[in-house]
């Protein structure tokens, strides 16, 4: 374990510092993706014909390798964290848009009719009725997007030390110190588990209205998307 | 008053949901729209609060076209109850009920007090206020739905098959509760159902709609039963409308006799005296024990069951007839509020009462038009 936490100085961060950078680079894109996905999903539900093409576009974006994004973006945003985060935000859409859209769509018709009949407008109904009821599905989507994002940040090492914990792997090769690679892998895994647990706790807090055992009345995102996201 | 003025709803694909429908919905009473699925009853209801816009015609609320009212204000002035309640599963019962008051800008405290008041009114225990919908039974959820609709005290209540998804026993309870609440509050209620029995039980006026959204008949329930406008309405009413119509005739004019009623401790000669073939034996308080066949002997355990008694004044002729039909002797037992026998009445006497009630109601004793058509076909 000698030198396990002994981070080479050219990375310009301590171990804890790398964790901070890693979380920032992983979570900000998910947050941005969520902000983008919320109105997109609303539009997809309002105009049904929009849903298939939007899903198609997010899937194509997901299929673009991050390296290709870097090549394009580097002219605009340079060798910065932003260059890493933009593709990650776009990737998160492939999980978040269907998670929100399907979750919102699973709200029972009677509930929607009742809301409309009580004088809820479209936006108020979306924010106060549909989204809260879709919260479990949205959080399930966030869990996949977050885990995926945390693992993907490492590729930032390709554009000059923007990979946070991924940089440790580059350093492991450069200095022939395999323990640094083990550190990178283990720390990334722990971060993913901790963030996931935090999201599960958040769901508990947000949904006191859910039956504790069995969740037949709430929506889960489509199974294939969960597997698609997790496989990356 | 709500006036539906030759309203048509035609969808872009050419389907006509409602076809030149005109109805005057009286204030402070329950008007039921009933008909088979696809008759446009829900569409009609939803045009009143503009969840569906008519293609032609107009709907007037107190003389003003609903199209000219801002849609949110219009809806907040009309309570809406839907099948399966449509509660907000993410909000507590109290918050569900307080939804419209809160949107109207009431303070938290006032809205909460109002919710508590309504829970009591619809027969929900106060301890349920902090619960979530999934913790309530279907019947309780529906009560919350009614309370939520009443929350801002709207003059109009729109009810869309509110009791269809609960079991018959709970449904009967909810119907009775609605009638009781209506007695207290006197709302203008428009009630949609596919269940003709529910329509007849609840409606002051009943509009029967047929497929394609056309009005078949608009009448008070008793008139519907006695005078169906055509074969469709008659079919829709079902086979035993004659019997069901008796629900609208009071039983207090029935001539009761106490001749065959004897207390269990009466002297033996009274038990064997000539007269009716059966005697109704009562206990010391005058409550019925059972029928004794004339000439038979033995204790009260040998008595024939007396069936279900009826209460003159409260129960209808239908209930009285039912008692007589169920009784092994053909005699119905009448009791007062405390269950004491006030007399007995034979099927024959009930039959005479039915005939005179029909005459008094001006009912047509000839077969209705629909029956003729069926015979002809």
């Amino acid at each position: 374990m000698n030198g396990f936490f002994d981070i080479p100085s050219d990375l310009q961060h301590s171990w804890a510092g790398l964790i901070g950078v890693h979380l920032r680079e992983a979570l900000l894109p998910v947050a941005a993706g969520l902000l983008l996905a919320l109105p997109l999903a609303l539009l997809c539900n309002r105009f049904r014909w929009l849903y298939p093409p939007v899903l198609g576009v997010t899937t194509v974006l997901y299929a673009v390798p991050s390296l290709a994004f870097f090549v394009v973006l580097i002219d605009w945003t340079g060798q910065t964290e932003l260059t890493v985060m933009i593709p990650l935000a776009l990737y998160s859409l492939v999980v978040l848009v269907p998670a929100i859209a399907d979750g919102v769509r699973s709200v029972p018709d009677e509930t929607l009719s009742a809301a409309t009949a009580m004088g809820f407008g479209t936006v108020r109904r979306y924010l106060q009725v549909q989204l809260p009821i879709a919260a479990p599905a949205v959080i399930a989507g966030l869990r996949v997007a977050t885990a995926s994002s945390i693992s993907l940040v490492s590729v930032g090492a390709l554009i000059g030390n923007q990979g946070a914990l991924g940089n440790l792997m580059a350093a492991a090769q450069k200095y022939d110190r395999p323990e640094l690679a083990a550190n990178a892998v283990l720390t990334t895994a722990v971060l993913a588990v901790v963030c996931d647990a935090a999201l599960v706790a958040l769901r508990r807090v947000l949904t006191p209205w859910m039956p504790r055992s069995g969740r037949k009345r709430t929506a889960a995102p489509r199974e294939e998307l969960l597997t698609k996201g997790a496989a990356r | 008053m709500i006036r539906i003025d030759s309203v048509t709803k035609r969808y872009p694909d050419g389907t006509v949901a409602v076809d030149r429908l005109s109805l005057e919905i009286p204030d402070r009473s329950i008007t039921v729209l009933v008909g088979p699925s696809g008759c446009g009853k829900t569409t009609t209801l939803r045009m009143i609060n503009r969840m569906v816009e008519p293609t032609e015609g107009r709907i007037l609320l107190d003389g003003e076209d609903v199209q000219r009212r801002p849609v949110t204000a219009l809806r907040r002035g009309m309570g809406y109850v839907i099948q399966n309640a449509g509660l907000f599963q993410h909000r507590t019962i109290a918050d569900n009920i307080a939804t419209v008051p809160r949107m109207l800008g009431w303070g938290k405290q006032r809205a909460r007090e109002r919710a508590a008041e309504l829970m009591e009114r619809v027969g929900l225990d106060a301890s349920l206020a902090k619960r979530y919908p999934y913790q309530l039974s279907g019947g309780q959820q529906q009560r919350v739905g009614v309370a939520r609709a009443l929350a801002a005290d709207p003059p109009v209540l729109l009810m869309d098959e509110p009791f269809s998804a609960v079991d018959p026993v709970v449904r009967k309870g909810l119907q009775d509760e609605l009638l009781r609440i209506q007695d207290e509050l006197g709302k203008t209620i428009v009630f949609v159902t596919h269940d003709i029995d529910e329509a007849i039980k609840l409606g002051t006026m009943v509009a029967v709609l047929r497929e394609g959204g056309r009005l078949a008949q608009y009448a008070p329930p008793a008139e519907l039963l006695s005078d169906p406008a055509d074969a469709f309405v008659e079919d829709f009413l079902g086979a035993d409308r004659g019997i069901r119509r008796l629900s609208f005739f009071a039983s207090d004019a029935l001539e009761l006799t106490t001749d065959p009623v004897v207390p269990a401790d009466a002297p033996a000669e009274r038990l064997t005296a000539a007269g009716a073939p059966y005697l109704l034996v009562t206990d010391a308080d005058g409550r019925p024990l059972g029928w004794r066949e004339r000439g038979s002997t033995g204790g009260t355990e040998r008595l024939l069951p007396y069936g279900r008694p009826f209460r003159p004044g409260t129960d209808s002729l239908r209930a009285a007839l039912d008692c007589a039909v169920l009784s092994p002797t053909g005699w119905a037992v009448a009791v007062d509020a405390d269950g004491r026998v006030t007399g007995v009445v034979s099927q024959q006497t009930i039959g005479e009462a039915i005939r005179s009630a029909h005459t008094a109601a001006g009912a047509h004793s000839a077969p209705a038009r629909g029956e003729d058509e069926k015979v002809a076909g």
Side-chain angles (χ1 to χ4, degrees):
Chain A
M1 281 288 141
N2 190 24
F4 193 82
F5 293 109
D6 189 6
I7 310 297
S9 61
D10 59 343
L11 298 191
Q12 296 174 345
H13 285 289
S14 65
W15 182 68
L18 284 176
I19 288 176
V21 174
H22 200 97
L23 285 178
R24 185 169 72 221
E25 284 188 54
L27 300 185
L28 278 181
V30 176
L34 183 64
L35 283 182
L36 212 58
L38 285 174
L40 263 180
L42 172 65
L43 285 175
C44 286
N45 278 343
R46 193 108 172 94
F47 309 102
R48 291 290 164 99
W49 55 268
L50 208 59
Y51 192 38
V54 166
L55 269 193
V57 169
T58 60
T59 307
V60 168
L61 284 175
Y62 193 64
V64 176
S66 35
L67 198 55
F69 272 116
F70 294 161
V71 170
V72 176
L73 286 171
I74 219 150
D75 284 345
W76 309 89
T77 50
Q79 295 186 339
T80 60
E81 285 182 16
L82 195 60
T83 308
V84 181
M85 290 195 286
I86 289 172
L88 291 186
L90 294 175
Y91 291 155
S92 74
L93 293 180
V94 80
V95 186
L96 292 177
V97 170
I100 299 170
D102 294 349
V104 163
R105 200 170 289 183
S106 74
V107 175
D109 279 346
E110 303 95 65
T111 308
L112 294 182
S113 295
T116 306
M118 283 188 283
F120 281 74
T122 308
V123 174
R124 188 202 274 262
R125 196 179 76 169
Y126 186 60
L127 294 178
Q128 294 187 1
V129 179
Q130 290 171 293
L131 272 186
I133 291 175
V138 175
I139 288 177
L142 279 176
R143 287 173 64 186
V144 177
T146 303
S148 152
S149 190
I150 286 173
S151 78
L152 284 174
V153 164
S154 306
V155 292
L158 293 174
I159 52 161
N161 281 354
Q162 296 302 347
L165 289 166
N167 298 345
L168 277 180
M169 287 194 251
Q173 268 192 325
K174 193 164 153 195
Y175 301 110
D176 192 20
R177 289 178 55 193
E179 76 274 12
L180 291 180
N183 181 330
V185 171
L186 286 174
T187 310
T188 308
V190 168
L191 282 185
V193 170
V194 168
C195 288
D196 195 55
L199 284 169
V200 171
L202 178 69
R203 194 202 67 209
R204 288 260 162 94
V205 172
L206 287 182
T207 60
W209 47 269
M210 260 173 68
R212 275 282 160 254
S213 58
R215 281 176 231 140
K216 58 187 163 108
R217 299 197 61 178
T218 49
R222 294 197 317 222
E223 201 67 38
E224 84 254 26
L225 282 159
L226 284 175
T227 35
K228 188 157 91 182
R232 181 139 186 140
Chain B
M1 190 181 62
I2 301 170
R3 200 151 74 88
I4 298 173
D5 189 6
S6 60
V7 160
T8 296
K9 177 65 192 181
R10 200 179 298 110
Y11 286 101
D13 66 359
T15 331
V16 177
V18 178
D19 191 7
R20 285 161 298 166
L21 179 71
S22 291
L23 283 181
E24 300 220 338
I25 293 167
D27 279 343
R28 307 174 72 81
S29 66
I30 302 180
T31 301
V32 181
L33 309 180
V34 66
S37 51
C39 73
K41 52 193 190 294
T42 293
T43 308
T44 304
L45 187 81
R46 289 182 168 211
M47 285 193 285
I48 296 174
N49 72 351
R50 292 185 59 192
M51 285 169 79
V52 174
E53 302 284 8
T55 317
E56 285 158 28
R58 19 174 232 162
I59 294 177
L60 304 175
L61 175 65
D62 296 326
E64 193 194 357
D65 193 338
V66 293
Q67 297 288 328
R68 302 175 64 149
R69 299 227 185 161
V71 72
T72 46
L74 178 79
R75 288 176 185 165
R76 284 171 198 172
M78 293 181 174
Y80 191 83
V81 189
I82 197 169
Q83 187 175 358
N84 292 320
L87 298 184
F88 297 151
Q89 50 184 297
H90 61 299
R91 292 189 180 171
T92 62
I93 301 311
D95 287 345
N96 261 284
I97 297 172
T99 304
V100 176
R102 293 288 286 151
M103 281 200 292
L104 292 173
W106 293 24
K108 259 208 169 95
Q109 186 58 32
R110 189 172 158 220
R112 197 176 301 142
E113 281 165 12
R114 176 69 178 155
E117 180 191 327
L118 280 161
M119 286 180 70
E120 195 186 334
R121 188 176 286 287
V122 301
L124 287 168
D125 196 88
S127 66
L128 297 176
K130 290 248 156 45
R131 299 271 181 91
Y132 287 96
Y134 82 90
Q135 296 167 304
L136 270 60
S137 71
Q140 287 173 324
Q141 291 195 20
Q142 206 50 262
R143 283 168 199 265
V144 177
V146 173
R148 182 172 67 175
L150 290 170
D153 203 18
V156 176
L157 215 53
L158 307 178
M159 307 184 81
D160 188 4
E161 306 218 15
F163 308 146
S164 322
V166 293
D167 68 65
V169 177
V170 176
R171 187 182 313 147
K172 183 178 178 303
L174 289 167
Q175 289 167 348
D176 293 340
E177 200 84 342
L178 178 67
L179 288 173
R180 186 184 58 74
I181 292 170
Q182 173 64 358
D183 268 351
E184 293 168 10
L185 301 181
K187 300 290 181 190
T188 302
I189 299 179
V190 188
F191 191 107
V192 163
T193 181
H194 60 259
D195 177 357
I196 185 68
D197 290 312
E198 187 168 62
I200 285 169
K201 175 171 180 180
L202 297 178
T204 312
M205 289 292 283
V206 176
V208 183
L209 302 177
R210 66 169 92 228
E211 286 94 344
R214 276 169 305 136
L215 182 65
Q217 188 169 4
Y218 186 42
E223 188 186 323
L224 213 58
L225 288 168
S226 66
D227 254 336
D230 57 19
F232 169 79
V233 178
E234 194 181 6
D235 248 21
F236 194 70
L237 285 166
D240 52 353
R241 65 180 172 86
I243 300 287
R244 281 188 299 180
R245 184 169 171 242
L246 298 180
S247 309
F248 295 95
F249 298 133
S251 62
D252 44 8
L254 279 177
E255 223 167 284
L256 303 176
T257 167
T258 51
D259 289 349
V261 182
V262 291
D265 54 1
E269 62 270 23
R270 265 208 72 190
L271 291 177
T272 53
Y278 293 98
L279 294 172
L280 182 71
V281 182
T282 64
D283 65 10
D285 283 335
R287 292 191 176 80
L289 291 172
W291 290 98
R292 180 193 292 280
E293 220 165 333
R294 177 160 306 280
S296 78
T297 51
T300 51
E301 73 282 352
R302 302 268 314 265
L303 298 173
L304 294 170
Y306 59 91
R308 202 165 54 90
F310 74 100
R311 275 180 61 192
T314 313
D315 286 333
S316 64
L317 272 187
R318 183 183 180 175
L321 179 64
D322 194 53
C323 299
V325 171
L326 286 175
S327 164
T329 64
W331 288 68
V333 178
V335 294
D336 62 16
D338 297 323
R340 292 193 183 84
V341 176
T342 56
V344 294
V345 57
S346 68
Q347 285 180 5
Q348 197 189 348
T349 312
I350 295 172
E352 282 156 16
I354 290 170
R355 274 192 297 279
S356 56
H358 278 192
T359 316
H364 306 234
S365 48
R369 274 158 279 173
E371 226 155 53
D372 295 335
E373 282 167 33
K374 256 188 285 180
V375 171

